[in-house]
Amino acid sequence: MVDFGAQYAQLIARRVREAHVFSEIVPRSMPVAEMLAKRPKAIILSGGPASVHVEGAPTIDPAVFDSGIPVLGICYGAQLVAQLLGGEVHRTGGGEYGRTPLEVVGSSVLFADLPLQQQVWMSHGDSIVAAPAGFTVHATTPGTPVAALEHRERGIYGVQFHPEVMHTDRGQEILKAFLYDAAGCRPTWTNLSIIDQAVDEIRAQVGDERVICGLSGGVDSAVAAALVHKAVGNQLTCVFVDTGLMRAGEAVQVEDTFRNQFDVDLVHVKAADRFLDLLHEVEDPERKRKIIGETFIRVFEEAAADLGEARFLVQGTLYPDIVESGGGDNANIKSHHNVGGLPDDMKFELVEPLRNLFKDEVRAVGEELGLPEEIVWRQPFPGPGLAVRIIGAITPERVEILQAADAIVLEEIKRAGLLREIWQSFAVLPAVRTVGVMGDARTYAYPIILRAVTSDDAMTADWARLPYDVLEAISSRVINEVPGVNRVAYDITSKPPGTIEWE
Ligand code: XMP
């Protein structure tokens, strides 16, 4: 999929994979010869924000249309098909945005078994007003005379609408018709084939050398470790640094899953005292983060040194970390180092078995590998752990209060069946105390702040509209079951202006 700066670039790639066809996003600056060297079965030209009429508008070498590889242009991509092959694209003033009725015309590959009337999602200013010679028009809308076009012999297709968004009723079927019927792709990209391929690649990379993996308790490092273990068994040693700032029960669960169920060689470094000593009386959020980051690296390095020579380090880098969409040509690749923020100068070669996968694929692979649901569906958790949710000084007692309250929050969210809808839900312990009355006695104790947000990527977030009965269950359980807490408040701040975490 050639990215012309589409808002939906990653979504198109994901939809293709949901059709069980592997897809890769490439920048539009990539020479066509280089694209073809990847031996694609099909090429999709994405949408994008530009107009083909502006000076310097992004384009593609028309050689792509003579390559014999079937091409589908979507939105801007369709306009490029039209313009580069001799059709006409005009700024008609009749742009269409949102849900639009589509009328299918004639017999086409893309709409073969679909109804003649359907709803599609549009987002365009320019319109194709004339298809190039040799093309047939297969759909129109009230505002667009050429909403779909094709040249069956040359294998070139275009749709003005967005088949990848769910508001296009038959979008996935249209994409599948292109992939399977126009391009002859087979639906072979499945969880099992992903696992087989990853295992082969890991074995080829690692040979008989030793490998280390830092486990954070999160889904990415867990799935990466499980894949590497499947590939090279006991050549892998996992290191789990227990900072004492994890969620309740997390350390036990990591140990149980990896050591007992998977028989992984696991080093469980119990470093809670060391972290808490260093954090003693530290209140400044940035200093907390710095101390935790540095100590984490030191502890990990010490554990690695104790293990002797390992040449490889596993990282749970995901595909969205590798491809930065937006069509900015130089911004296309960025490197992320996300397992505990280990530094580049550690002398390891990286093994990144998830580098081609989206998060939902990682979860599916995790389930296929038999990882427990609690790990596979775990919510994101910040590297510095509960330290950034304990406002002010961190003491063992305050960690215990927060862990207990946090566990109740998660239990109630799960009980309400909301776990997979909610991006993160957790408790925050502020540095103030409030007055209350319990029994007949006055209390002076901590409040707990409940934070629950919905989000797609943590860049923006909204506070979750939790049902009142869930709020009530959390509030009464926290106050009744957690000593030292006498009040629960709900944070109703979106991001921006707030952040998800409190520090
Ligand atoms: P904020 O608070 O910035 O958080 O809205 C955005 C997302 O990032 C997580 N987060 C972190 N993750 N190391 C991490 O690996 C960190 O230092 C860190 N700080 C915040 C946070 O939980 C949310 O999902």
Side-chain angles (χ1 to χ4, degrees):
M1 203 214 64
V2 187
D3 183 2
F4 285 93
Q7 185 187 354
Y8 300 123
Q10 293 200 11
L11 190 56
I12 300 171
R14 273 175 46 202
R15 291 285 184 253
V16 173
R17 291 185 186 198
E18 281 165 19
H20 302 294
V21 174
F22 178 68
S23 65
E24 194 181 327
I25 301 172
V26 300
R28 62 173 188 261
S29 59
M30 180 181 279
V32 166
E34 205 178 312
M35 293 176 198
L36 297 179
K38 292 174 173 285
R39 307 175 65 80
K41 294 271 288 183
I43 294 176
I44 295 178
L45 311 178
S46 85
S51 160
V52 294
H53 295 300
V54 298
E55 180 87 12
T59 186
I60 190 164
D61 181 347
V64 73
F65 301 116
D66 297 322
S67 65
I69 311 293
V71 176
L72 170 67
I74 294 177
C75 193
Y76 183 77
Q79 294 174 4
L80 276 180
V81 167
Q83 194 214 27
L84 291 171
L85 296 175
E88 282 178 53
V89 179
H90 285 178
R91 173 129 299 199
T92 58
E96 291 167 302
Y97 301 91
R99 199 183 276 275
T100 308
L102 182 87
E103 173 96 28
V104 175
V105 188
S107 96
S108 69
V109 175
L110 297 188
F111 304 97
D113 299 317
L114 299 179
L116 297 181
Q117 259 102 35
Q118 12 186 315
Q119 297 287 327
V120 298
W121 190 259
M122 287 286 198
S123 182
H124 66 110
D126 291 359
S127 293
I128 305 170
V129 294
F135 277 74
T136 45
V137 174
H138 286 287
T140 61
T141 67
T144 310
V146 185
L149 68 168
E150 72 185 44
H151 193 307
R152 209 176 292 197
E153 292 71 38
R154 294 182 71 187
I156 305 172
Y157 302 80
V159 290
Q160 181 60 64
F161 58 89
H162 289 273
E164 70 277 16
V165 307
M166 64 174 187
H167 307 291
T168 295
D169 293 345
R170 311 307 282 258
Q172 188 66 1
E173 287 152 275
I174 293 165
L175 268 182
K176 280 182 177 170
F178 170 67
L179 294 168
Y180 302 158
D181 303 332
C185 297
R186 308 286 355 127
T188 53
W189 174 254
T190 61
N191 296 335
L192 286 176
S193 75
I194 294 173
I195 292 171
D196 285 347
Q197 192 178 331
V199 163
D200 288 348
E201 283 172 12
I202 295 163
R203 286 189 182 141
Q205 184 186 1
V206 166
D208 52 13
E209 301 267 353
R210 295 211 53 79
V211 190
I212 294 193
C213 177
L215 282 178
S216 67
V219 54
D220 301 342
S221 65
V223 174
L227 272 173
V228 174
H229 184 252
K230 190 172 170 70
V232 300
N234 282 342
Q235 283 165 247
L236 170 72
T237 301
C238 288
V239 177
F240 174 60
V241 177
D242 183 354
T243 59
L245 298 161
M246 327 291 290
R247 285 164 286 198
E250 196 154 85
V252 173
Q253 186 174 42
V254 167
E255 176 138 7
D256 185 55
T257 303
F258 284 92
R259 186 174 285 152
N260 302 341
Q261 289 179 45
F262 280 76
D263 198 22
V264 167
D265 181 24
L266 175 72
V267 177
H268 179 168
V269 187
K270 294 179 179 156
D273 291 347
R274 180 162 166 184
F275 278 89
L276 290 184
D277 281 351
L278 287 164
L279 289 167
H280 183 64
E281 292 189 349
V282 176
E283 296 189 5
D284 177 60
E286 286 310 305
R287 269 198 69 213
K288 282 183 188 171
R289 281 173 178 275
K290 201 154 183 285
I291 290 169
I292 294 168
E294 283 174 9
T295 310
F296 189 92
I297 290 164
R298 203 146 305 141
V299 172
F300 190 87
E301 277 176 338
E302 288 164 13
D306 284 348
L307 295 172
E309 286 298 294
R311 194 173 133 204
F312 292 97
L313 177 71
V314 180
Q315 297 237 68
T317 317
L318 303 191
Y319 193 51
D321 300 336
I322 306 257
V323 181
E324 231 221 14
S325 202
D329 273 341
N330 37 19
N332 265 299
I333 305 290
K334 66 175 180 181
S335 65
H336 261 228
H337 293 277
N338 38 13
V339 177
L342 296 170
D344 292 337
D345 63 1
M346 290 188 78
K347 291 180 194 59
F348 289 112
E349 230 174 88
L350 296 182
V351 180
E352 298 180 308
L354 314 180
R355 58 180 294 118
N356 279 325
L357 304 185
F358 289 106
K359 191 89 173 183
D360 45 353
E361 293 174 315
V362 170
R363 290 208 159 106
V365 165
E367 284 180 332
E368 188 73 47
L369 289 168
L371 286 168
E373 193 185 348
E374 287 76 24
I375 288 185
V376 168
W377 287 97
R378 187 158 272 172
Q379 295 177 347
F381 188 62
L386 299 181
V388 294
R389 296 177 183 170
I390 297 177
I391 314 309
I394 299 166
T395 62
E397 297 72 38
R398 287 178 28 97
V399 172
E400 215 172 294
I401 290 175
L402 186 59
Q403 281 177 333
D406 190 64
I408 292 171
V409 172
L410 218 48
E411 272 170 40
E412 292 301 326
I413 292 289
K414 261 189 223 165
R415 192 198 306 277
L418 295 171
L419 189 65
R420 295 187 189 189
E421 276 168 47
I422 287 195
W423 177 264
Q424 281 173 288
S425 52
F426 54 85
V428 175
L429 180 61
V432 295
R433 281 186 284 175
T434 74
V435 173
V437 55
M438 278 173 107
D440 289 325
R442 174 186 189 272
T443 59
Y444 187 51
Y446 293 115
I448 280 289
I449 318 279
L450 171 62
R451 181 85 168 129
V453 296
T454 53
S455 176
D456 288 323
D457 53 10
M459 301 297 288
T460 60
D462 198 5
W463 59 278
R465 272 50 174 183
L466 292 181
Y468 283 159
D469 54 348
V470 176
L471 291 171
E472 183 187 342
I474 290 172
S475 165
S476 67
R477 280 196 61 199
V478 167
I479 291 163
N480 287 323
E481 295 174 34
V482 186
V485 175
N486 67 353
R487 192 180 290 270
V488 173
Y490 190 32
D491 179 353
I492 52 167
T493 317
S494 61
K495 170 184 180 174
T499 52
I500 295 175
E501 304 292 344
W502 267 45
E503 284 194 341

